[in-house]
Amino acid sequence: MSSPSFNVEEHKKMLQSYFNGQGFQRWASIYGNDKLSTVRSTVRQGHAVMMDKAFEWLQKTGLPKGSKILDAGCGTGLFTIRLAKSGYRVKAADIAEQMVNKTREDAEKAGVAGNVEFEVSSIESVSGTFDAVVCFDVLIHYPAEGFAHAFSNLAGLTKGPIIFTYAPFNNILAFQHWIGGFFPKKERRTTIQMIKDKEMQRVLGKLGLKIVSQQKISFGFYHTMLMHVDRR
């Protein structure tokens, strides 16, 4: 599915610019220990709940320690470091150099940098072969056309489990984001791109993937669908 209105390279540049600048400061604060506003606090808490569930699912797959996992769109490295501490080998890739540098810095502080490969790369262009792929709160920035392209690349990098989040379309969430547009700019998240169920099923079907688990995570202003898909 493609559209003349969606330009892959322009979209990459937009995300790279945002997450190397204002976005880095905003999300490093949310994912860190800074004191936050009520709105941002719910995002932090919801994100933590999501990561706990994702890690639980990953462990249930039975992947042995030493397995190689791609953390696509690693952000500030919270999940990368958690994986590395648990004995997995991780490739931490992010489109923003600032995010990768923060991940490296914190991995070194945690004493697990030796288990991590760091790379500045978009989810459309990252490459390699992995035992599993995780991608959290990244695909939510891609409209349907870009989502299909980016997710197809990630799916081609593993024959194992893929655990990811996306924003499923619903009218209430769409209205909430419309209301969010009236918040002060410092309180706003980046634009969330919602994917309709029919489009998600089309993409998964084309790639031969089946849903193993899915769970909606809702906490204040944090809303996402956590998915575990696999070819088995």
Side-chain angles (χ1 to χ4, degrees):
M1 182 176 179
S2 62
S3 169
S5 64
F6 181 77
N7 184 297
V8 174
E9 292 305 317
E10 286 300 316
H11 189 69
K12 284 183 185 179
K13 290 178 181 177
M14 181 273 291
L15 291 178
Q16 192 169 47
S17 176
Y18 174 75
F19 285 107
N20 266 323
Q22 180 188 31
F24 172 75
Q25 298 299 328
R26 178 174 298 174
W27 292 104
S29 176
I30 290 174
Y31 294 156
N33 299 310
D34 293 351
K35 184 176 181 180
L36 301 174
S37 67
T38 300
V39 171
R40 291 190 181 185
S41 291
T42 66
V43 175
R44 175 186 284 172
Q45 293 171 71
H47 181 260
V49 169
M50 179 276 293
M51 288 204 305
D52 285 346
K53 178 56 66 173
F55 189 74
E56 176 188 320
W57 286 358
L58 187 66
Q59 289 186 307
K60 286 182 178 179
T61 66
L63 279 179
K65 305 304 181 184
S67 296
K68 189 173 183 180
I69 301 174
L70 170 64
D71 188 357
C74 63
T76 59
L78 292 180
F79 206 75
T80 287
I81 293 170
R82 187 170 187 173
L83 291 173
K85 283 182 174 180
S86 298
Y88 297 106
R89 294 177 297 134
V90 189
K91 182 172 186 176
D94 199 281
I95 197 171
E97 185 175 8
Q98 286 224 63
M99 294 291 190
V100 176
N101 289 342
K102 174 64 172 172
T103 299
R104 180 185 291 107
E105 177 186 331
D106 288 353
E108 289 173 349
K109 289 179 180 178
V112 296
N115 286 349
V116 184
E117 176 186 356
F118 306 93
E119 181 178 300
V120 179
S121 182
S122 71
I123 61 174
E124 299 100 322
S125 59
V126 64
S127 61
T129 301
F130 305 92
D131 298 303
V133 170
V134 298
C135 183
F136 303 129
D137 295 349
V138 178
L139 290 162
I140 61 172
H141 301 297
Y142 288 76
E145 301 92 331
F147 175 92
H149 175 67
F151 189 77
S152 294
N153 182 58
L154 295 180
L157 304 180
T158 183
K159 293 183 179 179
I162 305 171
I163 301 177
F164 67 100
T165 57
Y166 81 100
F169 183 88
N170 69 69
N171 291 325
I172 294 176
L173 187 57
F175 178 72
Q176 187 178 47
H177 283 295
W178 177 77
I179 290 294
F182 294 97
F183 276 66
K185 287 185 178 181
K186 67 177 182 178
E187 296 295 344
R188 299 181 199 170
R189 299 182 63 182
T190 48
T191 301
I192 302 302
Q193 302 289 342
M194 291 179 283
I195 306 297
K196 293 184 177 181
D197 289 343
K198 183 177 180 180
E199 174 62 11
M200 174 57 70
Q201 293 298 330
R202 185 193 73 80
V203 172
L204 294 180
K206 183 178 180 180
L207 296 171
L209 294 167
K210 296 182 178 180
I211 298 173
V212 178
S213 302
Q214 61 181 1
Q215 182 171 323
K216 183 179 180 182
I217 309 290
S218 293
F219 204 103
F221 273 76
Y222 183 88
H223 301 278
T224 197
M225 181 68 78
L226 180 64
M227 300 277 284
H228 170 197
V229 300
D230 208 321
R231 290 183 173 82
R232 291 193 291 271

